[in-house]
Amino acid sequence: HEADAQKPRQTGIVAHRGFWNCDEAGHAKNSIAALRCAQEAGFWGSEFDVNMTSDGVLIVYHDSDVEGKKIENHPYSEFKDYKIANGEVIPTIDMFLEQGKKYPETMLVYELKPHSCAEVEDRFVELAIENLKQHGLYDPERVMFISFSLHMCEKIAAEHPQFTVQFLGSGKNPEELAKRGINGVDYNHLLFKVNKKWYKMARKHEMSVNAWTVNSKGDMKSMLKMGVDQLTTDNPL
């Protein structure tokens, strides 16, 4: 057992917004092509960002607005024809998960973007879970959740405790999050350098540990040496 404890942890490489940084994906973040490229390359996971329209359609898009239109205040019909960098339309979560299902070994790292109030966020979480069930992906071996919204992290942790849920923000240390029932952290990698006790604190509470967005070789070596469970990067190769 002592020998096992000294073994370095296996760190999963997560392609940030998919493996978009290649010609095959058309350099389009959060595209279906970027997800497919991450799957085909064999990375541990592929991260993607999800927002909800005013009529309850979940779309895979990072920003809270599209060309000045706040996504949660407008119906999907106003975004359905908008093209991203590689010519794809903005994917709905249904389109995205159809591709996600094809490679069971690739973890889908599902980021729920913060919305305006708890009521809207509750609806967002409920739709996200319902949608995963419809696609046969309500499975902690297939999907994990990350969010800057403490409210949504708490809701998922309370109602779906079998899933890994990692808080992305910097305002709570691992101990505070563990008290709220949240079982993971996904901090900016620089936070681990500033708050040197946070990594051990997370391990003390048996939390999963992810770091974002780790793009330089030096920072990657530092995070790998620390022993994070996942390393999220724009440069997964």
Side-chain angles (χ1 to χ4, degrees), residues 96-111:
F96 204 80
L97 294 181
E98 278 301 311
Q99 177 63 38
K101 288 195 292 194
K102 295 177 182 177
Y103 287 77
E105 64 276 14
T106 305
M107 178 66 75
L108 299 173
V109 182
Y110 194 134
E111 179 171 348

Side-chain angles (χ1 to χ4, degrees), residues 152-172:
M152 285 197 284
C153 286
E154 286 183 295
K155 181 177 175 66
I156 295 170
E159 297 176 2
H160 310 278
Q162 70 273 40
F163 283 84
T164 297
V165 182
Q166 297 175 335
F167 179 61
L168 285 161
S170 59
K172 299 288 181 186

Side-chain angles (χ1 to χ4, degrees), residues 29-215:
K29 301 174 181 180
N30 280 320
S31 63
I32 291 173
L35 170 59
R36 185 180 68 249
C37 288
Q39 293 170 321
E40 290 174 350
F43 300 124
W44 181 88
S46 189
E47 185 265 355
F48 57 100
D49 305 286
V50 182
N51 274 283
M52 181 176 69
T53 65
S54 63
D55 52 348
V57 177
L58 306 187
I59 62 174
V60 181
Y61 196 76
H62 176 269
D63 296 348
S64 61
D65 66 275
V66 179
E67 293 188 333
K69 290 183 179 178
K70 195 165 181 63
I71 293 169
E72 74 168 271
N73 294 339
H74 293 266
Y76 173 63
S77 60
E78 297 190 30
F79 305 113
K80 68 181 179 63
D81 298 322
Y82 181 83
K83 300 287 177 64
I84 58 177
N86 65 355
E88 290 181 23
V89 296
I90 297 174
T92 64
I93 195 66
D94 289 305
M95 297 174 191
F96 204 80
L97 294 181
E98 278 301 311
Q99 177 63 38
K101 288 195 292 194
K102 295 177 182 177
Y103 287 77
E105 64 276 14
T106 305
M107 178 66 75
L108 299 173
V109 182
Y110 194 134
E111 179 171 348
L112 300 97
K113 304 301 286 188
H115 284 58
S116 59
C117 63
E119 184 180 5
V120 172
E121 290 191 338
D122 286 347
R123 184 175 180 227
F124 182 13
V125 169
E126 286 156 11
L127 286 172
I129 295 296
E130 180 183 312
N131 187 265
L132 288 173
K133 289 178 177 177
Q134 289 169 351
H135 287 271
L137 288 169
Y138 182 73
D139 181 350
E141 298 295 318
R142 302 293 305 278
V143 176
M144 60 184 280
F145 298 102
I146 61 175
S147 185
F148 281 99
S149 165
L150 188 60
H151 176 73
M152 285 197 284
C153 286
E154 286 183 295
K155 181 177 175 66
I156 295 170
E159 297 176 2
H160 310 278
Q162 70 273 40
F163 283 84
T164 297
V165 182
Q166 297 175 335
F167 179 61
L168 285 161
S170 59
K172 299 288 181 186
N173 68 40
E175 189 163 355
E176 293 172 298
L177 295 169
K179 287 177 180 176
R180 294 169 180 262
I182 295 167
N183 62 16
V185 295
D186 186 2
Y187 290 131
N188 183 312
H189 67 95
L190 295 173
L191 275 181
F192 290 111
K193 297 177 182 178
V194 174
N195 302 289
K196 297 185 184 298
K197 295 180 180 179
W198 282 18
Y199 178 80
K200 287 187 176 179
M201 190 185 295
R203 293 302 182 199
K204 176 186 171 186
H205 290 282
E206 299 182 336
M207 304 173 87
S208 68
V209 179
N210 196 343
W212 61 267
T213 300
V214 191
N215 288 341

